[in-house]
Amino acid sequence: MPPLIRAPRASLFLLYWYFTECFVSFMAWWWFYDMERALLEDTLVDWHLACNIIGAVLYVFVGSVLMFWPYRYYHQMLDSSRRNRIMAGVYTIFLVRDFPCWLMEFWVLWKYGWISVIQGISVMLATFSFAFGLIMCWLIYTWKIAKILEKQFGSSETHAAVTTAQGAAGTMEHPPTGALTRYSAPQ
């Protein structure tokens, strides 16, 4: 029997999540930050608004497109392509919107405490998005660095087999060194 309820795809969930977060953050600016300019300083409120506007524009034109693409063309894309596009969308939104807005909202919370309900909701949503985005950015970083290190210094069996085959075919100018020397080309 098929399940009655199924979870939405990650890309669709992220589209709704970031839209909700942007909306709540704008409402927090409108109903809390703008009303408390005397307490919070004009510069902080203006920077919060600027990060929200830039983040919302990039969400609409870059992040949402990168997240909707794998949802729309799910059956025509490889798993790696879907994953990379979703991660690129999350990475874009994290760097431009989540990270700076979370720093500002957390600083206000740390310095002044809970003042408004909408401030608390905005801080919680920003904290969840910040944590998720930070984990995704860390995964992207470790994935890319591991790939670079494997290409430069790796001694995997696949790399060794390709190198040995190239050496046997006479396509290599220099013989492999290090861990790859244990494989000898057929005589």
Side-chain angles (χ1 to χ4, degrees), residues 4-184:
L4 298 176
I5 299 174
R6 67 176 177 88
R9 291 189 192 138
S11 54
L12 189 61
F13 173 76
L14 290 172
L15 279 170
Y16 287 122
W17 175 263
Y18 283 115
F19 175 78
T20 303
E21 186 198 2
C22 286
F23 180 75
V24 169
S25 189
F26 272 115
M27 292 299 104
W29 174 82
W30 186 268
W31 288 329
F32 171 69
Y33 289 97
D34 196 41
M35 302 292 183
E36 299 290 341
R37 279 186 179 267
L39 176 67
L40 302 175
E41 303 167 9
D42 285 336
T43 308
L44 178 76
V45 175
D46 293 341
W47 274 103
H48 190 268
L49 178 62
C51 287
N52 275 322
I53 290 172
I54 293 168
V57 167
L58 275 174
Y59 166 74
V60 169
F61 292 111
V62 179
S64 64
V65 173
L66 287 170
M67 287 185 253
F68 186 72
W69 192 357
Y71 175 75
R72 173 67 176 89
Y73 297 102
Y74 181 82
H75 297 290
Q76 294 142 351
M77 297 174 86
L78 297 172
D79 288 340
S80 61
S81 296
R82 287 194 303 266
R83 181 198 63 230
N84 290 343
R85 288 183 177 104
I86 290 173
M87 289 178 112
V90 171
Y91 184 75
T92 302
I93 294 168
F94 174 76
L95 288 181
V96 176
R97 194 209 164 281
D98 286 345
F99 184 65
C101 283
W102 180 78
L103 284 176
M104 287 182 267
E105 290 185 18
F106 190 75
W107 183 81
V108 168
L109 179 68
W110 187 266
K111 188 168 182 183
Y112 302 109
W114 298 94
I115 298 173
S116 169
V117 172
I118 191 73
Q119 174 211 10
I121 293 170
S122 180
V123 168
M124 285 189 290
L125 286 176
T127 301
F128 291 142
S129 291
F130 172 78
F132 180 73
L134 185 66
I135 290 169
M136 293 290 278
C137 288
W138 175 73
L139 286 174
I140 292 169
Y141 170 77
T142 55
W143 196 296
K144 296 299 181 186
I145 293 299
K147 186 175 181 179
I148 290 169
L149 290 173
E150 180 60 30
K151 283 183 179 179
Q152 293 294 323
F153 308 108
S155 62
S156 68
E157 296 298 321
T158 305
H159 182 70
V162 169
T163 307
T164 304
Q166 288 174 344
T171 59
M172 293 179 51
E173 293 181 24
H174 304 288
T177 58
L180 297 178
T181 56
R182 65 183 174 180
Y183 297 102
S184 60

